[in-house]
Amino acid sequence: MKKILGFLLLIMLAACSEKGAVEKLKMNYPSVKKEIEQMSTEVQNKMAAPDFLPFQPKDVQLTYAAEPAGDPKGDILHTEFIYGNEKGSVLHVTTFLNKKATFNDEGEKKTTKLKDGTEVVIEAESSEVMAIRWRKDDVYYGMMLMGSEFKMEDLLKSANSMDY
């Protein structure tokens, strides 16, 4: 009996560890789960979140822009996970779902690459705010990290851990 229980526990732990970052957010934050489950399956399948965070969040929220405004079944333009802690650190992770989304790339932009070779545009890099954006599989993503204790490497580590 103990062997069977041990085997079942091992299977359950393995199953939990394989859940994606968005699924983990749904399990740990009921308000996020409620918002996600109101959206279409197509939108849910495109949502992405990082597995690595540069700080331990106290709270996570999900916001979105839709047409008509506030309608989770409408045309979702973008979704945004907002991770925050009590020390003022904030990480925004945005998925732009509108197929017409484009970015103004006029002028020279500083770029880098993710570990999979995806080119990343650095939007901001200061002592308080770092922001990047990139395109993967015809979907645009953006990340912004606020907090004086962080470096661009912290933001890129989160971007590299994205669970698409």
Side-chain angles (χ1 to χ4, degrees):
M1 182 68 166
K2 286 182 182 180
K3 288 182 181 180
I4 292 173
L5 288 175
F7 181 70
L8 289 175
L9 180 62
L10 182 63
I11 289 174
M12 287 174 33
L13 288 173
C16 289
S17 67
E18 292 179 16
K19 290 194 184 291
V22 173
E23 288 299 316
K24 289 176 188 174
L25 288 172
K26 286 170 56 177
M27 286 184 352
N28 295 326
Y29 299 94
S31 64
V32 169
K33 179 180 180 176
K34 180 180 174 188
E35 290 291 333
I36 290 174
E37 290 180 347
Q38 292 179 31
M39 297 178 186
S40 72
T41 304
E42 179 184 358
V43 169
Q44 290 182 44
N45 289 338
K46 289 183 180 178
M47 295 174 83
D51 279 321
F52 170 81
L53 300 173
F55 59 88
Q56 182 64 41
K58 181 175 179 158
D59 188 38
V60 178
Q61 297 176 8
L62 171 63
T63 64
Y64 62 91
E67 290 180 5
D71 182 0
K73 295 292 185 193
D75 182 21
I76 304 293
L77 306 174
H78 74 265
T79 62
E80 184 171 40
F81 290 110
I82 305 168
Y83 303 81
N85 70 9
E86 68 280 353
K87 298 174 185 167
S89 300
V90 180
L91 176 68
H92 292 257
V93 179
T94 308
T95 302
F96 296 91
L97 300 166
N98 186 338
K99 293 190 186 303
K100 297 176 188 173
T102 59
F103 291 98
N104 183 357
D105 282 330
E106 289 183 20
E108 295 218 13
K109 297 280 186 182
K110 188 175 175 183
T111 63
T112 189
K113 291 193 179 209
L114 296 178
K115 64 184 176 187
D116 69 0
T118 301
E119 184 175 73
V120 172
V121 175
I122 299 173
E123 293 285 325
E125 186 174 12
S126 71
S127 61
E128 294 288 328
V129 177
M130 286 136 301
I132 58 175
R133 65 175 164 84
W134 68 97
R135 182 178 173 173
K136 184 158 181 83
D137 300 327
D138 293 326
V139 178
Y140 286 97
Y141 299 94
M143 266 191 191
M144 180 171 57
L145 178 59
M146 294 181 278
S148 60
E149 66 273 20
F150 303 111
K151 305 286 183 225
M152 181 57 72
E153 292 79 28
D154 298 313
L155 185 58
L156 291 171
K157 189 171 180 181
S158 289
N160 276 313
S161 76
M162 285 289 281
D163 180 27
Y164 300 100

